[in-house]
């Protein structure tokens, strides 16, 4: 029996995924331990979003095994409830519910899926809104907030389900430059609190500070996987070197 | 938006007043006999009452039918959005068949045919409701499908990420947004239904049109009586339009997004 800290909470083993004839993932294997922070990068179309979308079951994988939080995600079974799998997801486009207030966005999941009372859900929501530092926006509608604020609400909404694992799918790509930092700060704070995270992002400064493990994907494959120091200083593969040169230039 | 509505309403009011004036003025010529519906005369007043009495069933029939058709339409729309091909086929077949039957034919078939086939007895009112609701449900289904399809895929993904079931996703996330978008189309259907309820007169429903027909038979004054009938529908539908628009505006003010 492995010690709890290093026992993998996510096991991705030989996973392949097709969109029609296009193979988005080619025999991808990755293990994430409890509390580990993994940053996935790579050119667009490399399969990095598909990988984490398979982990939270927004996509079905065709072959291989994915075990999340002890639950195997199987094609044949009904979709596993993402709360019972303990996975939270943050999207590039935030995907807040535009017809609900910030507070209602946060309480909907806890009230319906976790059967919390309205008062309890409200307390929980306010606690997480304070954690992402926008409790004063609780009564507003998403449209009234800036992009950075919306993304922080989306993070708080995921946290209200009290997940053990947080997945981020390019959370800052849709943001204006001046708003990126406020979101990265919230994510860094989350990382330092011990949350298990997989982030798909091109924010290399954030990756260097926060990641325990860097993953570089290209063409549906994991090309390089290393600790940040080694990953940034001495990447082994040529593809990874080229990619890093391109995005670290500016 | 608001300004635009006001201008249109003002124009509409002018048109109504104009039409009424033309009809009244033309009554001065010898060929018109407004006495049949003259409220200052006893028979005229009772004739007028007789005509307006039909309003009750016209409204009751249309409103009941639209309530049923909205519910059935939604239930038919949902399988149309499924990934399952068989469920989508159920939706397609229902919509294509029902939409192809003229309302008048459906009314006649439900009233005269259905009791024999299903071995039930059905009164005029429920036959009318059933026929109107059936016919309209196919259109409602298409409206709902379009509205639901217009909602971004990300809304489903976000709902899944906070573990909402399919029913909860529809109820709390998708439908509230879809209904706001399809409200103008739903308002249209309500107006359409009010007008189509006139067809139920052929099986003897005592609504506006039937009343007018009966009065024409006894008074031999089709021009005046049918003119009143036109005004009755016009007034009714302008009221409904105003209500629908008021409701839309309220929802828009409520939206804030």
């Amino acid at each position: 029996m492995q010690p709890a800290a290093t026992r993998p909470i996510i096991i991705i083993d030989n996973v392949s995924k097709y969109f029609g004839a296009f193979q988005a993932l080619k025999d991808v294997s990755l293990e994430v331990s409890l509390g580990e922070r993994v940053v996935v990068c790579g050119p667009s179309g490399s399969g990095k979003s598909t990988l984490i979308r398979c982990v939270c079951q927004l996509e079905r994988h065709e072959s291989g095994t994915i075990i999340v939080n002890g639950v195997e995600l199987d094609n044949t079974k009904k979709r596993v409830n993402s709360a019972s799998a303990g996975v939270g997801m943050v999207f590039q486009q935030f995907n807040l519910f535009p017809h609900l207030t910030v507070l209602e966005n946060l309480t909907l999941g806890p009230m319906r899926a976790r059967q919390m009372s309205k008062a309890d859900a409200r307390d929980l929501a306010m606690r997480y809104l304070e954690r992402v530092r926008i409790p004063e926006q609780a009564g507003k509608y998403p449209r009234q907030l800036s992009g950075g604020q919306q993304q922080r609400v989306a993070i708080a909404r995921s946290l209200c389900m009290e997940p053990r694992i947080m997945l981020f799918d390019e959370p800052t790509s849709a943001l204006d430059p001046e708003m990126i930092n406020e979101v990265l700060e919230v994510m860094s704070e989350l990382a330092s609190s011990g949350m298990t995270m997989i982030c798909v992002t091109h924010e290399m400064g954030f990756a260097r500070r926060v990641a325990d493990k860097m993953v570089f994907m290209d063409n549906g494959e994991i090309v390089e996987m290393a600790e940040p120091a080694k990953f940034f200083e001495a990447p082994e593969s040529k593809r990874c070197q080229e990619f890093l040169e391109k995005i670290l230039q500016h | 938006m608001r300004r635009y509505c006001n201008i249109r309403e003002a124009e509409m009011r002018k048109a109504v007043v104009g039409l009424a004036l033309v009809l009244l003025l033309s009554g001065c010529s010898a060929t018109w006999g407004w006495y049949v519906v003259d409220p200052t005369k006893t028979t005229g007043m009772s004739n007028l009452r007789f005509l307006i009495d039909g309003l009750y069933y016209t409204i009751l029939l249309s409103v009941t039918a639209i309530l049923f058709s909205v519910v059935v339409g939604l239930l038919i729309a949902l399988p149309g959005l499924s990934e399952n091909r068989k469920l989508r086929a159920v939706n397609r077949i229902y919509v294509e068949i029902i939409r192809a039957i003229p309302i008048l034919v459906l009314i006649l078939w439900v009233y005269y045919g259905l009791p024999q086939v299903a071995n039930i007895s059905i009164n005029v009112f429920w036959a009318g409701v059933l026929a109107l609701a059936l016919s309209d449900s196919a259109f409602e289904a298409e409206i709902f499908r379009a509205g639901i399809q217009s909602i971004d895929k990300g809304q489903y993904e976000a709902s899944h990420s906070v573990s909402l079931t399919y029913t909860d996703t529809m109820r709390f996330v998708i439908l509230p947004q879809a209904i706001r978008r399809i409200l103008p189309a739903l308002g249209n259907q309500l107006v359409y239904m009010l007008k189509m309820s006139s067809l139920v007169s052929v099986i003897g429903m005592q609504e506006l049109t039937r009343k007018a027909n009966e009065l024409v038979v006894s008074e031999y004054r089709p021009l005046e009586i049918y003119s009143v009938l036109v005004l009755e529908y016009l007034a009714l539908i302008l009221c409904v339009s105003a209500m629908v628009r008021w409701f839309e505006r309220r929802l828009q003010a409520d939206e804030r997004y």
Side-chain angles (χ1 to χ4, degrees):
Chain A
M1 189 86 189
Q2 295 174 8
T6 58
R7 199 193 313 150
I9 189 165
I10 304 175
I11 301 168
I12 300 168
D13 189 25
N14 264 318
V15 165
S16 291
K17 161 81 193 166
Y18 296 84
F19 292 111
F22 174 73
Q23 189 170 5
L25 295 177
K26 295 171 186 164
D27 295 325
V28 172
S29 296
L30 175 69
E31 287 191 354
V32 181
S33 317
L34 189 64
E36 196 175 18
R37 279 91 52 163
V38 178
V39 170
V40 184
C41 61
S44 60
S46 60
K48 50 200 190 316
S49 290
T50 308
L51 181 67
I52 63 169
R53 287 167 63 85
C54 282
V55 173
C56 69
Q57 298 181 92
L58 288 173
E59 306 286 355
R60 296 285 184 87
H61 54 288
E62 265 85 34
S63 66
T65 317
I66 302 180
I67 300 172
V68 177
N69 210 2
V71 184
E72 180 168 357
L73 313 183
D74 198 319
N75 292 342
T76 54
K77 282 182 218 146
K78 221 175 142 231
R79 276 221 285 216
V80 178
N81 190 307
S82 48
S84 61
V87 182
M89 175 83 171
V90 176
F91 302 89
Q92 183 176 354
Q93 300 296 342
F94 330 136
N95 293 346
L96 293 174
F97 306 130
H99 60 299
L100 300 178
T101 63
V102 165
L103 190 67
E104 288 164 343
N105 263 277
L106 267 62
T107 54
L108 183 59
M111 282 168 68
R112 301 302 304 178
R114 301 178 61 201
Q115 276 82 43
M116 286 177 85
S117 73
K118 196 172 181 181
D120 286 350
R122 208 192 133 86
D123 288 347
L124 180 80
M126 287 313 294
R127 208 162 67 230
Y128 282 114
L129 276 182
E130 263 155 46
R131 191 154 165 199
V132 299
R133 295 191 290 273
I134 35 174
E136 71 282 359
Q137 311 287 3
K140 288 197 182 163
Y141 284 84
R143 257 315 138 78
Q144 296 170 295
L145 307 185
S146 71
Q149 290 172 324
Q150 289 191 45
Q151 191 59 297
R152 285 188 280 155
V153 171
I155 293 172
R157 179 176 67 180
S158 286
L159 291 175
C160 280
M161 299 305 289
E162 311 207 299
R164 299 186 72 194
I165 302 154
M166 283 288 281
L167 308 175
F168 294 85
D169 188 2
E170 306 205 27
T172 56
S173 302
L175 295 176
D176 291 335
E178 76 271 20
M179 292 167 184
I180 290 175
N181 271 334
E182 58 188 81
V183 172
L184 292 181
E185 272 166 31
V186 167
M187 289 168 65
S188 302
E189 190 270 326
L190 201 59
S192 61
S193 76
M195 177 68 78
T196 309
M197 292 162 68
I198 304 182
C199 310
V200 172
T201 181
H202 292 144
E203 295 298 331
M204 288 303 133
F206 167 80
R208 222 186 269 259
R209 263 183 289 124
V210 167
D212 297 312
K213 191 194 279 176
M214 292 295 302
V215 172
F216 172 72
M217 287 185 76
D218 193 15
N219 262 327
E221 293 168 317
I222 292 184
V223 176
E224 183 126 5
M225 182 153 39
E227 285 174 10
K230 182 168 178 300
F231 183 87
F232 287 109
E233 303 318 322
E236 278 169 15
S237 72
K238 197 160 182 300
R239 277 190 280 178
C240 186
Q241 283 167 18
E242 284 168 2
F243 177 77
L244 285 176
E245 270 166 28
K246 269 182 214 152
I247 64 165
L248 292 176
Q249 256 167 12
H250 52 266
Chain B
M1 186 66 200
R2 217 195 152 83
R3 212 182 134 79
Y4 173 70
C5 286
N6 278 343
I7 290 169
R8 275 198 50 181
E9 267 166 33
E11 273 175 357
M12 228 121 60
R13 230 169 279 139
K14 264 184 232 160
V16 174
V17 173
L19 186 61
L21 270 178
V22 167
L23 286 172
L24 283 173
L25 285 176
S26 61
C28 300
S29 82
T31 52
W32 289 73
W34 279 116
Y35 66 91
V36 278
V37 288
D38 186 344
T40 58
K41 303 206 168 64
T42 331
T43 44
M45 192 61 201
S46 75
N47 282 346
L48 214 49
R49 264 218 196 96
F50 179 78
L51 287 175
I52 291 171
D53 267 354
L55 210 53
Y56 172 72
Y57 273 122
T58 290
I59 294 173
L60 191 65
L61 191 68
S62 314
V63 170
T64 317
I66 200 131
L67 289 178
F68 278 109
S69 79
V70 163
V71 175
V72 175
L74 180 58
L75 291 178
I76 294 296
L78 292 177
L81 296 156
S82 163
E83 281 167 25
N84 184 324
R85 196 178 286 181
K86 278 180 194 148
L87 286 175
R88 279 209 311 273
V90 169
N91 165 280
R92 262 349 298 159
I93 291 167
Y94 182 91
V95 169
E96 294 301 342
I97 289 179
I98 298 293
R99 208 164 51 173
I101 307 171
I103 299 186
L104 183 55
V105 175
L106 200 58
I107 291 169
L108 292 171
W109 190 85
V110 166
Y111 188 59
Y112 295 109
L114 189 65
Q116 284 187 37
V117 177
N119 201 17
I120 49 162
S121 66
I122 190 164
N123 69 20
V124 174
F125 177 78
W126 287 106
V129 166
L130 187 58
L132 288 179
L134 259 181
S135 161
D136 194 52
S137 65
F139 293 93
E140 299 284 353
E142 289 294 90
I143 292 171
F144 270 111
R145 195 167 62 91
I148 292 169
Q149 272 172 343
S150 77
I151 305 296
D152 184 56
K153 189 166 126 267
Q155 294 290 306
Y156 292 92
E157 297 186 346
S159 306
H160 169 68
S161 82
V162 291
S163 300
L164 297 186
T165 60
Y166 172 77
T167 321
D168 280 351
T169 302
M170 279 295 157
R171 181 171 156 206
F172 295 104
V173 180
I174 307 299
L175 285 178
Q177 296 182 60
I179 285 171
R180 281 191 175 104
R181 294 190 190 177
I182 63 176
L183 208 66
L186 290 180
N188 250 352
Q189 285 305 113
L190 178 58
V191 167
Y192 183 71
M193 194 72 113
L194 279 166
K195 294 196 290 185
M196 289 308 127
S197 69
S198 63
L199 294 173
V200 186
S201 64
V202 299
I203 54 172
M205 183 77 221
Q206 293 286 318
E207 43 67 72
L208 288 174
T209 308
R210 176 73 181 193
K211 291 269 185 185
N213 278 336
E214 285 180 2
L215 197 63
V216 166
V217 170
S218 61
E219 293 280 358
Y220 303 109
R221 277 283 171 193
L223 176 59
E224 295 75 15
I225 291 166
Y226 287 138
S227 298
V228 171
L229 183 60
V230 166
L231 289 176
E232 280 176 312
Y233 277 112
L234 197 58
L236 180 61
I237 282 161
L238 287 181
C239 286
V240 169
S241 301
M243 265 164 54
V244 170
R245 221 168 298 132
W246 170 81
F247 192 61
E248 259 174 56
R249 235 176 284 145
R250 231 195 64 163
L251 267 190
Q252 272 167 6
D254 215 39
E255 238 167 35
R256 285 171 295 215
Y257 69 81

